[in-house]
Amino acid sequence: QVGRVFLAGDAAHLQPPFFGQGMNSGIRDATNLAWKLAAVTSGRAGTGLLPSYDQERRAHATEMVSFATRIGRMYRPRNLVTERARDLAFTGLQLLPGGKEYILQMKYKPMPRYDEGIVLDAAAGGVHSPVGRMFTQPVVEAGGRRAKLDEVIGGWFAVLGLHLDPREFLSPQAQAWWRSLGARFVRIDAPRSGPGPAGPVAPMASAGQDDPVTVVEDVDGAFRDWLLASPDREVIVLRPDRYVAAVCDRSGLGAVTARLRSLLEMEEPARAAAGC
């Protein structure tokens, strides 16, 4: 970002061709920037949201350029010895269980993680914290129809309550702010075929577009496994680009709401002073 100009994709970072990630990086830029521009121009967020695009994307784009450059050096080894060493290393890796898939699926590539920007306490949970990372895409069931999570909850902000209705732990003012933002409240119910939560759960409600909460069933147990690994992460706040903005237990949702609101409503000092 320079003033009112934003650069994305090859205009911002020309990816070397050795890794095939130029378009991927550009798409990540676009999805990061698009929802922020939409939020600001629609009046749902302050102009202070916009600098987080550069803040979040710059480090990962730089890392991808550096990684692609290193891959290029492997394609063009210095001498015959390094060429043989490269070939032996890749041949040996493919013989290991899962090694071939690891290479073909490019699971070694750097994955984006936002430690700063529109995320809360990303570093506090350590290297395994889901905050600042892309969210999974589990299968859920709503209204008798099975679909990927994104197809059910839409393309904007979502507050997921695992085995709970997140509205019950928010003040009327906090609920009103989430609705003014256009967020969707979602209750994830336990799978019928597996163990449920420790406490009682309200009966299944019908899910419809006009309902204040969308109720879905955790078909494949992805959220059950999430809770087993982290029982205190029973509320998940998803951004429109489907990165995790925050996680908390039910008692912390009010404080998380207040902190996210302050981030989203912040105005850039220069523009605020100029009345822009």
Side-chain angles (χ1 to χ4, degrees):
Q1 176 189 6
V2 180
R4 295 174 60 86
V5 178
F6 295 84
L7 300 183
D10 284 352
H13 43 77
L14 188 60
Q15 292 280 352
F18 309 112
F19 194 41
Q21 292 295 302
M23 179 64 75
N24 288 358
S25 296
I27 290 174
R28 288 192 177 104
D29 289 350
T31 55
N32 187 291
L33 179 59
W35 73 266
K36 296 173 182 178
L37 289 173
V40 172
T41 56
S42 65
R44 294 175 175 178
T47 55
L49 173 64
L50 297 177
S52 67
Y53 160 66
D54 190 290
Q55 185 182 32
E56 292 178 350
R57 286 296 306 144
R58 179 178 291 270
H60 181 251
T62 301
E63 188 177 13
M64 290 299 288
V65 169
S66 299
F67 191 80
T69 302
R70 293 196 298 271
I71 293 293
R73 294 195 186 104
M74 292 177 57
Y75 289 155
R76 190 179 60 181
R78 296 181 181 179
N79 50 52
L80 186 61
V81 174
T82 56
E83 179 181 353
R84 293 286 174 80
R86 176 203 63 189
D87 294 346
L88 286 172
F90 275 98
T91 301
L93 184 59
Q94 293 184 64
L95 297 176
L96 296 175
K100 187 173 183 178
E101 181 186 359
Y102 180 80
I103 297 173
L104 294 178
Q105 298 296 326
M106 294 194 295
K107 294 183 178 181
Y108 49 85
K109 70 179 179 181
M111 296 301 294
R113 182 190 179 188
Y114 305 143
D115 294 323
E116 298 179 328
I118 311 304
V119 293
L120 299 182
D121 304 324
V127 295
H128 299 297
S129 172
V131 178
R133 299 184 186 274
M134 289 184 286
F135 197 58
T136 58
Q137 189 65 271
V139 175
V140 296
E141 182 174 311
R145 183 178 70 91
R146 293 191 177 190
K148 295 289 188 180
L149 180 68
D150 281 357
E151 298 176 34
V152 177
I153 65 176
W156 200 239
F157 282 93
V159 183
L160 311 184
L162 309 190
H163 305 165
L164 57 86
D165 183 345
R167 299 172 304 164
E168 297 179 2
F169 307 96
L170 289 170
S171 67
Q173 294 79 10
Q175 289 188 46
W177 176 75
W178 279 115
R179 292 198 181 95
S180 70
L181 186 63
R184 178 171 293 187
F185 294 109
V186 182
R187 190 182 87 193
I188 311 290
D189 279 353
R192 285 165 286 184
S193 59
V201 177
M204 183 82 166
S206 61
Q209 289 185 339
D210 297 329
D211 292 338
V213 63
T214 298
V215 183
V216 303
E217 181 187 346
D218 179 18
V219 172
D220 56 10
F223 292 102
R224 174 198 61 210
D225 296 342
W226 171 290
L227 277 179
L228 288 173
S230 305
D232 58 334
R233 295 172 179 169
E234 53 188 351
V235 179
I236 307 166
V237 179
L238 295 183
R239 308 184 339 176
D241 56 2
R242 289 299 169 255
Y243 281 74
V244 178
V247 294
C248 62
D249 61 13
R250 63 189 70 189
S251 65
L253 182 55
V256 162
T257 297
R259 293 174 63 192
L260 283 173
R261 182 175 183 176
S262 67
L263 284 177
L264 292 173
E265 293 184 347
M266 187 184 304
E267 296 286 347
E268 284 189 85
R271 296 188 183 183
C276 296

